[in-house]
Amino acid sequence: MNSILVSRSQAARGLAVEAARRGRLLWVTGIDTGVGKTLLARLLVAWGRGSGRDVRAVKPFCAGSMDDIKEIDKVQSDIVGKWEVCRCYVRRPLAPWVAARQSGLALPARGEVIEWIGDRAAACDGLVVEGAGGLATPLGQGYSALELIEASGGGVVVVGTNRLGVISQTRLAVIALQNVGVQSIGVVLMDRSRADAAMRSNAWALRELLGGAKVWRLPWYGNNSLGLNRIQTISKNIQKTLAQIFRTSRLCTLHRA
Ligand SMILES: Nc1ncnc2c1ncn2[C@@H]1O[C@H](COP(=O)(O)OP(=O)(O)OP(=O)(O)O)[C@@H](O)[C@H]1O
Ligand SMILES: [Mg+2]
């Protein structure tokens, strides 16, 4: 029994790693919660599907509001057949591992989550995986998005709010990713409605500090809710940027400091 379990999880890990090798796995992680990860994931899916690629998104862990799952579902509602966006939902709006500990819930082992991601990556042309919270937010026993990324491989986009403080937080995230061997890292800075003194300089500063890494800056798209039509329109308007984010985040190798 054990050997069957081991070989199944090895096979699934193989699927995830193979998908990553072929450029099909793109992690969207963040320096924090609420930075725009779901917005970017939805834009990438809308761009992919709008340009004839079967790009899909998942959010393996979700805590509190189910809005992320619903919003991701909407942008890929044309998928035929059952497609689970989320592997593990916890009701309390806390880090999933904390919420599970407080309510006595069992969380899947890291290998199971990798298996789940690998199965989904193998079923489409490109899988966008949204983390929960920030890169080091505890998801399950002994792992956060960082350890999942280490196990699955793939490209990684670090999303941060374009304001004072993002340089340090982004560098820390990038250093952590490099330390587990990730070579393909991009950064997306999301503008906010209110500019601060750092908003115009963060992108070039990070490009220089991260050794020529790809850094993209997306504008503020207004306070109105970003429904499906709006997401599709924006994804068309910035299709070149989204294509770059999707394609080159794997190829962008950062230099170790
Ligand atoms: N550039 C932007 N223009 C307009 N609205 C934005 C922008 N970036 C983020 N938002 C809005 O900010 C809110 C938080 O963004 P989002 O849900 O994508 O963050 P998140 O990182 O996925 O958060 P979580 O950690 O909860 O998953 C959303 O209402 C989103 O639409
Ligand atoms: Mg989200």
Side-chain angles (χ1 to χ4, degrees):
M1 184 69 174
N2 267 350
S3 64
I4 295 170
L5 286 177
V6 168
S7 61
R8 272 202 70 208
S9 92
Q10 277 171 345
R13 195 192 143 164
L15 276 179
V17 173
E18 173 62 14
R21 199 179 61 74
R22 291 164 61 179
R24 297 196 311 208
L25 198 59
L26 180 66
W27 282 86
V28 174
T29 185
I31 58 168
D32 201 352
T33 184
V35 292
K37 299 184 299 295
T38 305
L39 174 59
L40 180 63
R42 293 165 75 212
L43 289 170
L44 286 166
V45 171
W47 159 78
R49 304 195 78 72
S51 58
R53 297 167 183 85
D54 186 3
V55 175
R56 305 179 184 189
V58 290
K59 174 154 176 130
F61 288 83
C62 187
S65 159
M66 294 181 86
D67 286 355
D68 280 12
I69 299 174
K70 290 178 193 158
E71 285 179 349
I72 290 171
D73 252 338
K74 270 186 219 151
V75 79
Q76 54 195 23
S77 61
D78 59 318
I79 296 173
V80 178
K82 192 170 179 292
W83 180 260
E84 277 173 296
V85 169
C86 180
R87 165 67 181 83
C88 190
Y89 171 75
V90 288
R91 282 181 68 177
R92 294 185 190 195
L94 298 169
W97 175 81
V98 176
R101 281 288 286 271
Q102 286 193 346
S103 44
L105 287 173
L107 288 168
R110 184 176 79 157
E112 267 181 68
V113 182
I114 297 294
E115 180 173 347
W116 187 88
I117 292 169
D119 285 346
R120 275 148 192 80
C124 59
D125 296 335
L127 187 71
V128 177
V129 185
E130 184 193 341
L135 180 62
T137 297
L139 301 177
Q141 189 61 42
Y143 65 87
S144 64
L146 183 64
E147 287 76 24
L148 293 178
I149 291 168
E150 181 183 16
S152 72
V156 182
V157 177
V158 178
V159 183
T161 303
N162 192 5
R163 65 175 174 213
L164 190 64
V166 78
I167 291 179
S168 171
Q169 291 170 315
T170 304
R171 291 181 77 198
L172 287 172
V174 168
I175 289 166
L177 288 164
Q178 288 176 318
N179 281 342
V180 299
V182 182
Q183 293 188 327
S184 315
I185 307 168
V187 171
V188 169
L189 297 179
M190 288 284 184
D191 282 5
R192 287 286 133 150
S193 50
R194 282 194 185 177
D196 71 9
M199 199 160 97
R200 290 172 69 174
S201 48
N202 282 330
W204 71 254
L206 275 169
R207 273 182 208 114
E208 195 163 320
L209 291 163
L210 295 176
K214 285 278 186 190
V215 179
W216 296 275
R217 181 178 163 193
L218 296 191
W220 176 251
Y221 293 110
N223 290 314
N224 294 336
S225 86
L226 295 168
L228 181 57
N229 288 343
R230 182 101 169 90
I231 288 290
Q232 286 169 336
T233 303
I234 294 170
S235 76
K236 283 199 186 98
N237 292 344
I238 60 163
Q239 54 183 305
K240 281 192 184 152
T241 304
L242 292 169
Q244 278 175 13
I245 293 172
F246 197 79
R247 279 201 310 266
T248 66
S249 61
R250 281 199 76 235
L251 308 172
C252 156
T253 303
L254 301 179
H255 305 299
R256 279 178 187 276

